[in-house]
Amino acid sequence: MKTLVTGAAGFIGMHTIKRLLQMGDDVIGLDNLNDYYEVSLKHARLLELEHPRFAFERLDIAHPGAFRQLLARERPDRVVHLAAQAGVRYSLQNPQAYVDANITGFLNVLEALRETGCGHLVYASTSSVYGSNTRLPFSPRHNTDHPVSFYAATKKANEAMAHAYSHLFGIPCTGLRFFTVYGPWGRPDMAFFTFTRRILAGEPIDLFNHGHHTRDFTYVEDIAEGIVQCLAVPATPDPAWEQDPLRPDRSGAPWRVYNIGSNRRVELIRYIDVLEQALGVPAIRNYLPMQPGDVEDTYADVDDLMSDTGYKPSTPIEIGIPRFVEWYLTYYHGDRRAFLQ
């Protein structure tokens, strides 16, 4: 198989490409290497991907011509679309960046697929689309019409855009709603990364909602495995959908939306406890009220993904957090043992 992955220098993109290469795929990765966070980390991820079956293109999906030409030249069997402007809080400061990357960029991907053809599109959505929903666990069958951040609104729009193109042009599209991904090579703007940096510096960490948030923390290698498993099962029209047309996760078109998470609910305070143990350093905790655009709890119902693809998350935070800490101390401090001494 030949697979094209957008967002190749990103956190999830790097791990997904590594898994595809392990499986024997030829992989074309593209990324615009923007400076939303430290570009050196993105370059370091790409160095991890050096392989005779991996080719990298520096390309911005917000500019349609170059992406269309790449797709027409390479003719991949399937596309994993992970390139996006991420982050809930940054969408309050710079919403235009989300329009450019998440709306215009996604449209350009769909248009290129319409013109050139592709066996299957798997794209990133987010648990943030559940917004004001308080029913737990979150199910793909729940309504997602009330996002509480602009980032979530753009991802909700992606799901609707994918459905329209799937319905009109028969493009198989599978959306995956990621739940709080963590692990080695993570993004510096993510909470687990910030917590680690501040704990090691002896600085207080902010725990919003007084630390009583619960999250479905999902280890990045479990996410990558799930993406690969979804690629192998292209979406098809659901013949039963006409009898149950109110199901928002399926369609008479070749389109699906799934949750992809750990199927575990962990309180933020527990996450910090495990992080402290892995670092060997206590945290100075600053308890604060809820902040705008945030949700109190997330918890993924992944039953449909498991039954349709065989997905099975296997990494609890007691294993995943020490792996992240090992990588963090090695990457930023060179020698974990020397730093802890």
Side-chain angles (χ1 to χ4, degrees):
M1 285 285 194
K2 180 187 286 188
T3 305
L4 186 147
V5 180
T6 73
F11 173 35
I12 297 173
M14 186 204 85
H15 285 278
T16 300
I17 291 170
K18 288 184 75 172
R19 185 69 188 97
L20 288 165
L21 291 171
Q22 289 169 3
M23 292 174 54
D25 273 25
D26 295 315
V27 183
I28 307 103
L30 62 90
D31 202 293
N32 68 356
L33 298 176
N34 67 34
D35 61 358
Y36 172 61
Y37 60 83
E38 56 194 69
V39 180
S40 60
L41 178 59
K42 298 179 181 183
H43 284 290
R45 291 183 185 132
L46 289 174
L47 288 174
E48 289 288 304
L49 296 176
E50 287 189 348
H51 194 283
R53 291 198 310 276
F54 176 66
F56 176 72
E57 298 270 350
R58 184 166 184 173
L59 191 152
D60 191 338
I61 60 167
H63 303 295
F67 181 74
R68 192 173 299 140
Q69 291 170 12
L70 175 65
L71 209 66
R73 182 179 77 241
E74 295 292 345
R75 295 285 177 176
D77 299 295
R78 59 259 187 108
V79 172
V80 180
H81 177 51
L82 302 173
Q85 179 59 60
V88 169
R89 282 175 284 284
Y90 187 59
S91 70
L92 299 174
Q93 305 167 28
N94 188 5
Q96 186 62 47
Y98 292 76
V99 173
D100 295 341
N102 299 4
I103 302 298
T104 302
F106 193 66
L107 175 62
N108 290 338
V109 169
L110 291 172
E111 272 291 282
L113 291 173
R114 178 180 70 84
E115 292 180 8
T116 62
C118 175
H120 190 198
L121 170 66
V122 174
Y123 65 93
S125 186
T126 173
S127 61
S128 296
V129 299
Y130 289 105
S132 298
N133 179 30
T134 57
R135 295 168 58 195
L136 294 175
F138 292 158
S139 168
R141 306 182 190 196
H142 291 170
N143 182 282
T144 57
D145 288 341
H146 301 94
V148 296
S149 71
F150 188 64
Y151 164 65
T154 64
K155 287 300 193 175
K156 169 70 174 176
N158 287 172
E159 295 179 3
M161 293 163 70
H163 185 269
Y165 271 69
S166 182
H167 171 76
L168 291 169
F169 308 115
I171 302 170
C173 295
T174 301
L176 294 175
R177 294 172 178 167
F178 296 151
F179 278 69
T180 315
V181 188
Y182 75 99
W185 298 98
R187 290 199 334 258
D189 64 311
M190 300 177 87
F192 70 92
F193 216 103
T194 303
F195 291 152
T196 301
R197 183 171 60 247
R198 295 183 70 87
I199 290 171
L200 289 172
E203 299 171 354
I205 59 172
D206 292 338
L207 300 180
F208 293 98
N209 195 32
H210 304 283
H212 296 305
H213 283 315
T214 61
R215 290 290 181 266
D216 193 316
F217 293 104
T218 314
Y219 190 61
V220 65
E221 290 182 5
D222 288 342
I223 290 283
E225 184 65 28
I227 291 171
V228 168
Q229 289 170 332
C230 279
L231 279 171
V233 187
T236 57
D238 182 357
W241 186 77
E242 290 185 3
Q243 283 71 49
D244 189 10
L246 296 181
R247 278 195 60 173
D249 60 324
R250 295 177 181 266
S251 173
W255 176 92
R256 291 285 188 278
V257 172
Y258 296 107
N259 289 336
I260 182 165
S262 69
N263 197 221
R264 300 180 182 93
R265 186 180 174 192
V266 178
E267 193 169 32
L268 182 57
I269 291 175
R270 170 61 184 160
Y271 188 92
I272 299 301
D273 289 343
V274 177
L275 182 58
E276 286 177 327
Q277 292 167 13
L279 289 168
V281 180
I284 304 169
R285 306 184 186 203
N286 183 27
Y287 294 103
L288 297 170
M290 285 278 284
Q291 59 182 338
D294 213 348
V295 296
E296 189 168 349
D297 303 293
T298 68
Y299 178 26
D301 177 347
V302 296
D303 287 352
D304 289 342
L305 183 61
M306 293 173 70
S307 62
D308 289 353
T309 71
Y311 170 72
K312 187 176 182 181
S314 60
T315 312
I317 62 169
E318 291 78 10
I319 293 175
I321 290 176
R323 289 179 182 171
F324 163 72
V325 167
E326 183 76 33
W327 168 80
Y328 183 96
L329 293 176
T330 300
Y331 182 79
Y332 284 101
H333 301 285
D335 188 331
R336 169 186 168 83
R337 291 167 298 176
F339 182 82
L340 292 179
Q341 289 169 1

